[in-house]
Amino acid sequence: MKRAILVFGLMILATPTVRAQERGKQAGANRPRTAVADVVQGLFITRFQEQVQVSDEQFVKILPVLKAGLQAIQNSAQRNVEAHNRLRQLLARNASADELNAQIREVDDAIALSRTSQQEFLRQVDPILTVEQKARFRIFQSTFEERMRELIVTA
């Protein structure tokens, strides 16, 4: 779960905050997120093909699965960030215990969705890969996460 969230953390960091959206930023404000998301997705797919060493036949089968899985993980990560941002807002304005409890449930649901998205992604990718490729894929995910973290820290 943490891997999936971190991989798309870079994309989410490029999104306007919930407060900025509430202040009515222009409709084009989501464009940077889309551009960054596309770049990260393209980088992930290219590096996946190189690092996991899939055949052309496997790549044709796995590409739509990768794109859909990455999009689902990105969406769940975005929900997670939004739920945490809302919780921060509630704390900052000294919200009631009922409001906080409701938002805590939303945060917990978002975390669970992130886990489910990651598990579903692996469930769909794994059958297309050999055992060696599955091992390479797990290593690739970890390495990709580390590189994204380094980019975020040095940015």
Side-chain angles (χ1 to χ4, degrees), residues 89-102:
Q89 291 172 351
L90 290 172
L91 281 171
R93 72 170 177 84
N94 296 319
S96 71
D98 287 342
E99 288 176 297
L100 288 171
N101 279 325

Side-chain angles (χ1 to χ4, degrees), residues 6 23 25 28 32 38 43 46 48 50 56 67 93 95-96 98 125 131 147 151-152:
L6 186 58
R23 285 192 299 255
K25 289 253 179 177
D38 290 346
L43 180 63
T46 300
F48 169 86
E50 295 167 358
D56 290 342
K67 286 182 176 182
R93 72 170 177 84
S96 71
D98 287 342
V125 169
V131 174
R147 289 189 180 144
L151 285 173
I152 291 168

Side-chain angles (χ1 to χ4, degrees), residues 26-121:
Q26 61 198 19
N30 284 330
R31 285 190 194 128
R33 176 185 163 263
T34 302
V36 172
D38 290 346
V39 168
V40 172
Q41 184 182 60
L43 180 63
F44 184 93
I45 290 169
T46 300
R47 294 270 171 91
F48 169 86
Q49 188 175 19
E50 295 167 358
Q51 299 295 315
V52 180
Q53 300 174 5
V54 294
S55 68
D56 290 342
E57 183 179 307
Q58 285 174 305
F59 187 70
V60 168
K61 289 179 185 175
I62 211 164
L63 184 59
V65 174
L66 284 177
K67 286 182 176 182
L70 292 171
Q71 184 63 49
I73 290 169
Q74 178 187 356
N75 291 344
S76 64
Q78 180 65 37
R79 179 179 171 195
N80 193 349
V81 167
E82 290 171 359
H84 279 88
N85 285 342
R86 177 73 177 133
L87 187 59
R88 283 186 196 92
Q89 291 172 351
L90 290 172
L91 281 171
R93 72 170 177 84
N94 296 319
S96 71
D98 287 342
E99 288 176 297
L100 288 171
N101 279 325
Q103 191 58 36
I104 289 168
R105 283 189 297 277
E106 178 61 30
V107 166
D108 292 345
D109 290 348
I111 291 169
L113 177 62
S114 292
R115 283 188 194 125
T116 301
S117 294
Q118 177 65 16
Q119 290 169 345
E120 180 64 17
F121 179 59

Side-chain angles (χ1 to χ4, degrees), residues 3-15 77 81 148 152:
R3 285 183 208 157
I5 292 171
L6 186 58
V7 166
F8 295 99
L10 180 62
M11 291 180 278
I12 291 167
L13 288 175
T15 62
V81 167
M148 289 297 108
I152 291 168

